[in-house]
Amino acid sequence: MELQERLNDVRSRIVAGERAAGRPAGSVQLVAVSKTFEADAIGPAIEAGQRVFGENRVQESQGKWPALKAERPDIELHLIGPLQSNKAADAVALFDVIETVDREKIARALADEMKRQGKTPRLYVQVNTGLEPQKAGIAPDDTPAFVALCRDELGLSIEGLMCIPPAEENPGPHFALLAKLALKCGVGKLSMGMSGDYGTAIAFGATSVRVGSAIFGTR
């Protein structure tokens, strides 16, 4: 199957998921995860009309996205991998959305850089719903206080929450937990669901799904 066919298949499944969940058409955004793929592999997705992409690493993104974004100013680039505070300046300069705010040091670095650069990328807080020690993200119980700190003390507008459930567990309860936390925090966006479980995520209220291998193939 060619990339365009795979992309169309994912789009169709998202539409079907929206319909099955009784949600309006277009309520779920597709973030095509292009990490580890070079610009020539991403080109066909852009040509097929995809405009929202996700990347894991700031440095890798700097090597391919400035030129692509210069050609297509309507591209929206999401950082979906862990962010180090020493990369905050580069992240603010390049990304339209940063989905992995998960500790005070990062939040403060982003607040400083956004003020310095006069840019306001949209921000999500990453929640470690499975409390996995090897995984980034703030603990669920700490999320409301952290969102409040970002808003009230640092002046950051938090748009949504993001999670990556443990690979070996049923993702449904993790998606349900994230949706419950979003209500408690007063945020409207939920970034959850990847190639293997985005249908489930849509049923639990995802507003964006991050799909890579189902579009680009195996890395």
Side-chain angles (χ1 to χ4, degrees):
M1 199 186 288
E2 294 294 316
L3 183 145
Q4 188 158 354
E5 291 176 83
R6 294 194 298 266
L7 179 59
N8 287 336
D9 180 62
V10 171
R11 287 170 171 165
S12 298
R13 289 171 187 267
I14 289 172
V15 170
E18 290 170 337
R19 193 178 300 125
R23 299 177 59 187
S27 57
V28 180
Q29 181 185 63
L30 171 60
V31 180
V33 179
S34 48
K35 65 179 184 180
T36 76
F37 286 97
E38 298 299 326
D40 58 353
I42 298 167
I46 296 173
E47 286 164 25
Q50 182 63 26
R51 291 293 181 271
V52 185
F53 294 88
E55 289 283 342
N56 260 36
R57 298 178 184 277
V58 175
Q59 203 162 345
E60 180 193 335
S61 304
Q62 288 175 309
K64 58 188 175 184
W65 280 105
L68 290 170
K69 289 186 81 177
E71 289 173 18
R72 298 278 190 172
D74 56 341
I75 281 175
E76 181 177 289
L77 192 59
H78 291 228
L79 178 63
I80 60 171
L83 176 61
Q84 303 302 318
S85 54
N86 65 349
K87 295 289 184 186
D90 294 333
V92 169
L94 181 58
F95 290 91
D96 303 289
V97 182
I98 297 171
E99 298 197 11
T100 50
V101 184
D102 67 348
R103 57 197 186 281
E104 187 175 341
K105 186 178 181 182
I106 288 295
R108 289 189 182 280
L110 289 171
D112 290 345
E113 279 304 324
M114 288 163 70
K115 200 175 294 180
R116 192 176 70 80
Q117 296 185 33
K119 293 191 72 181
T120 52
R122 286 147 41 215
L123 303 177
Y124 286 58
V125 166
Q126 181 174 352
V127 183
N128 187 345
T129 56
L131 294 172
E132 295 174 277
Q134 80 282 10
K135 194 174 280 181
I138 194 158
D141 287 349
D142 297 335
T143 301
F146 179 64
V147 170
L149 174 124
C150 289
R151 284 176 174 157
D152 302 339
E153 189 176 328
L154 303 179
L156 295 173
S157 177
I158 302 297
E159 178 175 286
L161 303 181
M162 179 268 236
C163 76
I164 306 169
E168 70 285 354
E169 292 186 21
N170 174 4
H174 295 273
F175 297 153
L177 173 59
L178 199 72
K180 186 178 174 183
L181 284 170
L183 276 175
K184 188 180 278 190
C185 295
V187 299
K189 302 287 188 180
L190 290 168
S191 172
M192 56 191 197
M194 299 187 288
S195 287
D197 58 17
Y198 66 91
T200 304
I202 292 168
F204 279 95
T207 56
S208 61
V209 293
R210 310 179 305 272
V211 181
S213 57
I215 295 170
F216 292 101
T218 51
R219 292 173 171 79

